[in-house]
Amino acid sequence: MEEETCLDCKRATIMVIDHSSGDTICSECGLVLEAHIIDFFEEWRTFASDDNGSDRDPNRVGAPTNPLLKSGDLATVIGKPKENASSFVSKDDISTLYRAQNQVKNHEEDLIRKAFSETQRITEALDLDIKIKSRACEIISRFDGHANTKLRRGKKLNALCAASVSTACRELNLSRTLKEISMVAIGVSLKDIRKQSMVIKHLLESEQASVSGANASIINTGEVVRRFCSKLDIGQREIKAIREAVEKSANFVIRRNPKSILAAVIFIISHISQTNKRPIREIAIVSEVVENTIKNSVKDIFPCASKIIPNWYAREEDVIKKLRDIIASWDSVKLSA
């Protein structure tokens, strides 16, 4: 019983809930304030072999339906017979039913459920939104009963889960690099994830479900720039210049992956700045790009650097002079070594 304001009495009165009909009734005037309410408490049922209460086995009525599974997760499961359990059915009959069900059981659906659990673990470890988990599970469900792709236990299944998370991040424009995903995946390498990503790509394309940005990078420029620069403690003015420079770099042919280009741009902008210089070692650690790769990317960007770096941040001649001095110092160190 709880106290609410009755619409008929116009005052606070005690309301009585009739659980058999699902009605909320005013205790003063008998007015039905709400009909057919839904009870969100647990639905406990007792599956006992006898009525004397000695074999009480309270269980929930089951998990919610899962639309990503062909059975909807509503299949009947016949358990193994217990040694000392009393039952109207003989143990031999239960064992026969148990073996018969295992023969016709969809074992691939069990792997799908296991993959869903692993996908949930990866997304929680990366602190990703539930939309990523839902999309990744939806991608995995495409493998249920597919003629050309069969699920396998172990490392291959874990790699598929990691690749599905990677694909979901790319589709929903959320930046998570393959290295970040591989660090939380169990027993899989970057090569395994890339291989399964190609399998997912071909599967989605065969179903005419185009993956947005199939040839694009897994990273989203704006978010990654904010994340990397935050770790490097770079100012807002430099962050704005880095974002513009990375966007302009897409108009030029620079044979480097987007993350290497981003690391190189961060290095260039930070060294043009007088107050936000960052060592190449720190940039390499944050961006997860090798120092030599950053140096080579800077050299590749050099011919078009004056057009990439915003004019409001630095003059063209200053950009060219600064980069020429930096590259010359690298070459001199290399020659002396």
Side-chain angles (χ1 to χ4, degrees), residues 156-335:
K156 190 173 181 180
L157 185 66
N158 293 341
L160 179 65
C161 296
S164 66
V165 173
S166 170
T167 304
C169 288
R170 182 170 61 246
E171 290 183 359
L172 298 176
N173 297 323
L174 184 65
S175 63
R176 284 297 182 273
T177 61
L178 287 179
K179 189 169 184 178
E180 288 176 305
I181 296 174
S182 66
M183 289 176 67
V184 299
I186 298 176
V188 296
S189 62
L190 289 173
K191 183 178 179 181
D192 298 327
I193 298 176
R194 289 194 186 98
K195 186 176 180 180
Q196 293 302 318
S197 295
M198 293 303 297
V199 174
I200 291 174
K201 177 184 173 183
H202 293 321
L203 177 63
L204 295 178
E205 286 179 349
S206 66
E207 295 178 356
Q208 297 181 348
S210 60
V211 179
S212 61
N215 298 320
S217 168
I218 191 173
I219 64 175
N220 175 272
T221 304
E223 184 183 353
V224 175
V225 168
R226 287 193 301 270
R227 190 149 53 91
F228 286 2
C229 292
S230 176
K231 292 180 180 179
L232 292 167
D233 195 21
I234 293 177
Q236 291 297 323
R237 186 169 179 268
E238 282 71 25
I239 292 175
K240 183 180 178 182
I242 291 169
R243 185 183 293 111
E244 288 187 21
V246 172
E247 292 174 355
K248 288 181 180 179
S249 67
N251 300 323
F252 298 88
V253 180
I254 304 173
R255 299 188 181 279
R256 295 283 173 181
N257 67 61
K259 196 164 69 167
S260 299
I261 294 175
L262 174 57
V265 170
I266 292 174
F267 175 83
I268 293 170
I269 295 293
S270 69
H271 278 70
I272 292 175
S273 170
Q274 298 298 324
T275 58
N276 284 274
K277 287 186 178 181
R278 294 294 178 270
I280 192 171
R281 183 182 296 275
E282 290 184 12
I283 298 174
I285 293 172
V286 170
S287 63
E288 299 172 352
V289 179
V290 182
E291 291 182 33
N292 285 335
T293 302
I294 297 177
K295 291 179 180 180
N296 292 329
S297 299
V298 171
K299 293 177 182 179
D300 292 341
I301 292 175
F302 175 70
C304 53
S306 59
K307 298 180 178 61
I308 289 176
I309 306 301
N311 293 328
W312 58 264
Y313 185 78
R315 295 182 302 174
E316 292 186 8
E317 53 269 23
D318 293 338
V319 173
I320 294 173
K321 182 178 182 303
K322 189 69 177 179
L323 287 181
R324 186 178 287 118
D325 293 342
I326 291 173
I327 294 173
S329 66
W330 289 341
D331 293 339
S332 62
V333 170
K334 190 175 181 180
L335 288 173

Side-chain angles (χ1 to χ4, degrees), residues 95-106:
S95 298
T96 302
L97 291 173
Y98 177 74
R99 289 193 297 270
Q101 187 190 43
N102 278 342
Q103 290 177 357
V104 298
K105 188 177 180 181
N106 184 3

Side-chain angles (χ1 to χ4, degrees), residues 53-66:
S54 61
D55 184 24
R56 295 189 60 81
D57 180 24
N59 290 283
R60 289 299 309 274
V61 296
T65 58
N66 190 342

Side-chain angles (χ1 to χ4, degrees), residues 10-220:
K10 304 297 183 182
R11 60 176 179 171
T13 57
I14 295 176
M15 302 298 167
V16 179
I17 298 176
D18 185 354
H19 292 280
S20 61
S21 61
D23 297 337
T24 303
I25 306 170
C26 174
S27 60
E28 296 290 336
C29 64
L31 177 67
V32 177
L33 298 176
E34 190 175 357
H36 305 295
I37 61 174
I38 299 174
D39 188 357
F40 291 99
F41 290 96
E42 293 87 350
E43 299 179 66
W44 291 102
R45 293 180 60 189
T46 301
F47 298 92
S49 301
D50 51 21
D51 296 330
N52 59 14
S54 61
D55 184 24
R56 295 189 60 81
D57 180 24
N59 290 283
R60 289 299 309 274
V61 296
T65 58
N66 190 342
L68 298 179
L69 296 175
K70 289 184 177 180
S71 65
D73 219 9
L74 293 174
T76 301
V77 178
I78 301 176
K80 292 182 178 180
K82 297 180 180 179
E83 291 295 331
N84 300 321
S86 59
S87 175
F88 296 105
V89 184
S90 66
K91 294 180 182 179
D92 292 337
D93 292 339
I94 295 177
S95 298
T96 302
L97 291 173
Y98 177 74
R99 289 193 297 270
Q101 187 190 43
N102 278 342
Q103 290 177 357
V104 298
K105 188 177 180 181
N106 184 3
H107 294 283
E108 193 160 325
E109 194 165 280
D110 292 338
L111 288 178
I112 295 289
R113 290 193 189 93
K114 186 176 180 181
F116 287 169
S117 300
E118 175 64 13
T119 301
Q120 181 176 358
R121 189 195 64 79
I122 292 174
T123 53
E124 288 177 353
L126 292 170
D127 195 21
L128 296 174
D129 190 80
I130 191 172
K131 293 181 181 178
I132 301 294
K133 189 202 83 168
S134 300
R135 177 53 185 159
C137 290
E138 184 182 349
I139 292 172
I140 292 174
S141 66
R142 304 288 183 89
F143 289 84
D144 187 7
H146 197 275
N148 298 325
T149 54
K150 289 187 177 293
L151 295 178
R152 296 288 184 269
R153 295 182 183 274
K155 185 173 72 172
K156 190 173 181 180
L157 185 66
N158 293 341
L160 179 65
C161 296
S164 66
V165 173
S166 170
T167 304
C169 288
R170 182 170 61 246
E171 290 183 359
L172 298 176
N173 297 323
L174 184 65
S175 63
R176 284 297 182 273
T177 61
L178 287 179
K179 189 169 184 178
E180 288 176 305
I181 296 174
S182 66
M183 289 176 67
V184 299
I186 298 176
V188 296
S189 62
L190 289 173
K191 183 178 179 181
D192 298 327
I193 298 176
R194 289 194 186 98
K195 186 176 180 180
Q196 293 302 318
S197 295
M198 293 303 297
V199 174
I200 291 174
K201 177 184 173 183
H202 293 321
L203 177 63
L204 295 178
E205 286 179 349
S206 66
E207 295 178 356
Q208 297 181 348
S210 60
V211 179
S212 61
N215 298 320
S217 168
I218 191 173
I219 64 175
N220 175 272

